[in-house]
Amino acid sequence: MAQSKTKRGMSFTGQLTVYDLPAVADKEIVSLSNTKPAIANALAHGLNTGDAIWVESESNEAINGYYLVNKSDEDTFALIGLDGTNIGTVTDAKFATMEAYLFCDVTSMKVSKLKTKTSDATTICDADPVTEVDKEAGSMSLSAFWMPDKPVQDLIDELSGEMETIFFKYSPKESRQIFGYQVKITSLEQDGKSGEKWQLSIEATINGAIRKLKTDSKQNINSKQNTRRGVK
């Protein structure tokens, strides 16, 4: 049997972007469609495919959250991650963009998309054991070189202390897909050893569904860094 010469697997290269908290959401969304994903009508929105935004509504707070954008035209875009089939009529939604910081010091990343918990639900009326399976929130683990003077790490340190829900975006190199994660940091640790570089460890809980956007072209990312990595 002839051996396949196709390259298998994908290298751990790409871009991880961390977003600051949104400013006041003041850009109007005229309407949201009852489709999956929801299509936003926002005149001259100025967004591009792959952008991350914050959306909020007073009449339907369930839609409040971070989403990826898939641009349709100058006045409409899809909100990746928002299932609009059951949101009803929303006419007061607004959105805001956020300042983005590249997190280039990451050395490893682990995403647990789904976790389940099994519990015993047997009652005295059941002849046989009965179990229930509950879906739990996913999680993310990151390791990085600790660089305390970098704005992105200063931002992470500040937002984790405030227990805020923040947004990460991962764009794998040579892939057409972009992933967005609403997360709340649950653990932030620095680990230093004599003669070695400081390491940063981040644990986070993923809130809600992972935003998954498939673009028309692969991400062309130059992951090379010429700066010194880590501090001793």
Side-chain angles (χ1 to χ4, degrees):
M1 181 180 294
Q3 293 184 345
S4 172
K5 296 182 179 180
T6 303
K7 186 177 180 181
R8 299 179 179 180
M10 185 172 63
S11 299
F12 180 63
T13 54
Q15 284 185 347
L16 182 65
T17 307
V18 181
Y19 289 88
D20 200 351
L21 296 179
V24 177
D26 57 1
K27 299 177 182 178
E28 183 179 2
I29 295 176
V30 178
S31 62
L32 288 170
S33 67
N34 297 129
T35 57
K36 183 180 180 180
I39 306 299
N41 180 9
L43 301 179
H45 54 72
L47 301 171
N48 293 306
T49 294
D51 286 349
I53 61 173
W54 166 263
V55 174
E56 64 182 49
S57 163
E58 291 186 3
S59 65
N60 188 347
E61 295 183 354
I63 74 169
N64 295 0
Y66 297 97
Y67 300 97
L68 292 176
V69 168
N70 192 4
K71 178 182 176 181
S72 302
D73 55 40
E74 299 305 317
D75 298 323
T76 57
F77 57 89
L79 285 170
I80 304 303
L82 178 59
D83 182 353
T85 54
N86 295 312
I87 65 174
T89 301
V90 179
T91 58
D92 67 341
K94 295 181 179 180
F95 74 91
T97 56
M98 300 87 68
E99 189 169 358
Y101 296 82
L102 283 180
F103 194 5
C104 295
D105 304 303
V106 175
T107 57
S108 70
M109 174 177 171
K110 179 180 178 180
V111 177
S112 298
K113 294 183 178 181
L114 175 65
K115 292 183 178 181
T116 58
K117 180 180 180 181
T118 303
S119 58
D120 184 5
T122 307
T123 69
I124 59 174
C125 296
D126 294 315
D128 299 310
V130 177
T131 58
E132 291 183 348
V133 179
D134 296 318
K135 183 178 177 181
E136 296 185 331
S139 62
M140 173 184 285
S141 301
L142 296 172
S143 295
F145 292 117
W146 184 46
M147 299 288 290
D149 294 331
K150 285 197 172 182
V152 63
Q153 296 201 27
D154 188 47
L155 175 68
I156 291 172
D157 187 68
E158 177 184 350
L159 295 181
S160 63
E162 296 175 358
M163 297 297 292
E164 294 281 1
T165 296
I166 57 178
F167 196 67
F168 288 175
K169 182 178 77 174
Y170 178 56
S171 306
K173 184 179 180 182
E174 299 297 324
S175 172
R176 290 185 173 89
Q177 302 199 46
I178 300 174
F179 301 91
Y181 310 90
Q182 284 192 142
V183 303
K184 180 169 287 188
I185 295 175
T186 57
S187 175
L188 185 66
E189 298 180 348
Q190 292 99 24
D191 182 13
K193 297 179 181 179
S194 178
E196 298 182 7
K197 293 180 178 178
W198 278 85
Q199 300 293 314
L200 177 68
S201 298
I202 300 171
E203 298 289 336
T205 299
I206 299 174
N207 295 338
I210 295 173
R211 285 72 167 110
K212 185 178 179 181
L213 169 61
K214 189 171 184 179
T215 61
D216 294 332
S217 58
K218 294 182 179 180
Q219 310 302 305
N220 185 15
I221 295 169
N222 181 6
S223 60
K224 292 183 179 180
Q225 300 180 72
N226 295 321
T227 56
R228 185 178 180 184
R229 301 178 181 181
V231 292
K232 290 188 176 181

